[in-house]
Amino acid sequence: MEKLLTSILLLLMTVGPACAQQGLKDALGKYFLVGVALNTYQSDGKDPRATQIVRQHFNSIVAENCFKGEALQPEEGKFDFSSADRLIDYARSNHLTVIGHCLVWHSQAPRWMFTDRNGQPVGRKVLISRLRRHVRTVVTHFKGKVHGWDVVNEAIEDDGSFRKSPYYNIIGPEFIDIAFEEAHKADPKVELYYNDYSMSMPGKRAAVCRLVRHLKAKGLRIDAVGFQSHNGLNYPDLHEYETSMDSVAATGVKVMVTELDMNILPNPWNFGGAGIEQNYQYDKVMNPYADGLPDSVSTRVNSRWMDFFRIYYRHRAQISRVTLWGLTDGSSWLNDWPIKGRTNYGLLFDRNYQPKPCVADIIRLFSK
Ligand code: G3I
């Protein structure tokens, strides 16, 4: 009996630390890629504590900003891949799969993309040529180094109508087809995605599924739809969120959770119905946890994270990636949007680089 106890103790002593070191990627990686968006400070390898978390918990990364149009082609015909190439090197050193974000987006597009030298809107032919050149050059540059691309980002409104972006207004909805066609021509092996937020909205859900069917009917490659998932304590409606996953999966493509985070602060636009212009008057009310998170709220936050990850567990066969939109609460864009300088708590690791309690619960959920 004593011998048996000793061997069990020895086993626990050896296995125990390994379990304690088990990361999200070990438990969730059986089903889908587990990713995180990095800022350039992190992807330049300047934050060793960040790299330690990345190595333990993630097998994929995406650039929060340095793969966007304004960064890669700041002047027409002049490409700057320096920061993006350092991210590729960082990924290679840390055995991480790279996702490209994003080729065509109305925001953070190159400043010159939509206007001529007199500042007037360019014509359809010019913009198509500029769009093709950007997509072709960027995808070619990263051929064999990027697993998949957010080809078009946020082209559809919550009600299902097309966003009246300069791409839409000048080219028409065909800009989407052209972007997917050009990306596939540049790298026939790379995965191609459409990416958007508020995917739980029925109007957007229907329009995105229509878009996927349209692209497939034209023989264009599309592998997945990205559900950005900038979630909150009280949104999205979880039933609608799941319904959208089922609807997108039914079109024959995978579901990706591409920019997962959770805003836990009051939003100015629905704060007592007051408009955003009032937020400067309510900054204390709009920034209630500047000095830390009450236990009651922390418990609510961890529970809400489990709401989302139980959904991802149920839909694991439909999902091919879950990516967090940032590593630690301190590096989240949510601290500055929609109001600059707030203290949000939107991610899985806190400002001290420590995993929140839900991380262990998530690992347990996917390890069962
Ligand atoms: O690089 C400049 C820097 O030179 C300058 O000193 C500084 C002054 O504020 O701004 C810096 O640019 C900022 C950029 O992030 C890089 O840090 C921009 O101001 C800032 O607006 C930009 O915010 C990014 C935002 O996209 C822009 O829309 C966020 O970091 C990024 O998390 C966010 O990510 C988007 C996804 O790409 C698409 N889905 C929505 C998501 C949230 O908006």
Side-chain angles (χ1 to χ4, degrees):
M1 185 58 178
E2 199 175 304
K3 263 192 171 179
L4 177 62
L5 279 175
T6 312
S7 51
I8 289 171
L9 201 60
L10 267 175
L11 181 67
L12 282 176
M13 281 166 67
T14 46
V15 169
C19 281
Q21 290 308 315
Q22 194 187 29
L24 289 163
K25 67 180 181 183
D26 304 308
L28 286 66
K30 299 195 287 288
Y31 304 105
F32 41 71
L33 280 174
V34 188
V36 61
L38 297 181
N39 59 41
T40 50
Y41 183 72
Q42 295 160 336
S43 58
D44 282 354
K46 293 176 179 170
D47 185 346
R49 289 190 297 174
T51 299
Q52 191 181 356
I53 297 176
V54 170
R55 280 184 178 148
Q56 182 181 349
H57 290 282
F58 298 99
N59 55 27
S60 169
I61 57 172
V62 61
E64 186 173 13
N65 288 295
C66 72
F67 272 53
K68 293 172 179 174
E70 65 177 7
L72 294 185
Q73 197 183 173
E75 288 177 53
E76 186 168 12
K78 287 191 181 157
F79 289 84
D80 175 3
F81 293 110
S82 53
S83 187
D85 284 343
R86 287 196 297 274
L87 181 138
I88 296 289
D89 293 342
Y90 180 88
R92 190 177 292 124
S93 320
N94 293 289
H95 314 293
L96 300 160
T97 298
V98 178
I99 302 297
H101 172 80
C102 47
L103 295 171
V104 178
W105 187 28
H106 61 279
S107 176
Q108 292 182 277
R111 207 184 311 275
W112 50 268
M113 180 62 81
F114 307 116
T115 52
D116 63 20
R117 62 170 58 95
N118 303 319
Q120 295 307 307
V122 292
R124 185 173 193 272
K125 278 180 73 175
V126 168
L127 186 53
I128 287 177
S129 164
R130 287 177 170 180
L131 186 160
R132 286 191 184 277
R133 178 182 188 179
H134 182 77
V135 172
R136 181 175 60 250
T137 309
V138 172
V139 175
T140 303
H141 179 84
F142 291 108
K143 196 169 182 175
K145 300 171 184 172
V146 166
H147 176 73
W149 282 99
D150 287 341
V151 177
V152 172
N153 192 42
E154 303 174 13
I156 293 172
E157 300 288 6
D158 288 1
D159 66 3
S161 62
F162 282 108
R163 179 189 296 272
K164 303 305 178 282
S165 71
Y167 284 117
Y168 178 86
N169 291 335
I170 296 171
I171 297 174
E174 301 80 18
F175 83 91
I176 299 172
D177 306 40
I178 292 166
F180 275 86
E181 177 191 51
E182 201 63 40
H184 183 60
K185 264 190 336 193
D187 182 353
K189 290 184 182 164
V190 77
E191 289 193 353
L192 304 178
Y193 321 127
Y194 173 76
N195 189 51
D196 215 327
Y197 58 81
S198 297
M199 279 299 301
S200 58
M201 302 299 279
K204 182 168 285 196
R205 173 200 304 150
V208 169
C209 290
R210 211 166 30 246
L211 173 64
V212 171
R213 287 193 289 269
H214 162 76
L215 293 172
K216 286 169 110 29
K218 279 189 74 172
L220 294 169
R221 179 171 181 165
I222 176 165
D223 298 274
V225 169
F227 288 48
Q228 290 186 9
S229 303
H230 292 294
N231 296 333
L233 284 174
N234 305 309
Y235 61 89
D237 174 302
L238 299 182
H239 172 69
E240 295 292 356
Y241 190 44
E242 289 199 78
T243 301
S244 292
M245 290 185 177
D246 290 333
S247 300
V248 164
T251 68
V253 299
K254 300 298 273 184
V255 169
M256 290 182 157
V257 178
T258 53
E259 306 183 15
L260 179 59
D261 53 24
M262 190 199 317
N263 172 46
I264 72 152
L265 300 180
N267 279 333
W269 49 75
N270 59 16
F271 175 70
I276 191 167
E277 69 285 350
Q278 291 198 39
N279 61 22
Y280 63 92
Q281 296 166 12
Y282 302 116
D283 60 352
K284 279 286 165 279
V285 178
M286 301 310 290
N287 192 24
Y289 310 124
D291 303 324
L293 209 54
D295 287 348
S296 60
V297 179
S298 180
T299 302
R300 173 89 180 86
V301 166
N302 280 284
S303 164
R304 184 69 171 163
W305 275 118
M306 292 316 293
D307 290 344
F308 298 128
F309 277 89
R310 273 191 287 273
I311 288 174
Y312 306 149
Y313 183 73
R314 278 200 296 276
H315 293 262
R316 59 193 185 277
Q318 298 170 339
I319 293 173
S320 57
R321 176 166 61 98
V322 172
T323 288
L324 277 297
W325 200 246
L327 195 65
T328 65
D329 289 344
S331 61
S332 169
W333 73 292
L334 289 172
N335 295 315
D336 293 316
W337 184 88
I339 302 174
K340 281 197 174 302
R342 295 202 295 176
T343 305
N344 217 323
Y345 299 79
L347 294 164
L348 293 182
F349 295 84
D350 66 24
R351 284 172 169 77
N352 298 316
Y353 295 74
Q354 297 308 305
K356 294 176 184 174
C358 58
V359 171
D361 295 337
I362 294 165
I363 290 172
R364 233 185 318 277
L365 170 66
F366 278 79
S367 300
K368 70 182 185 185

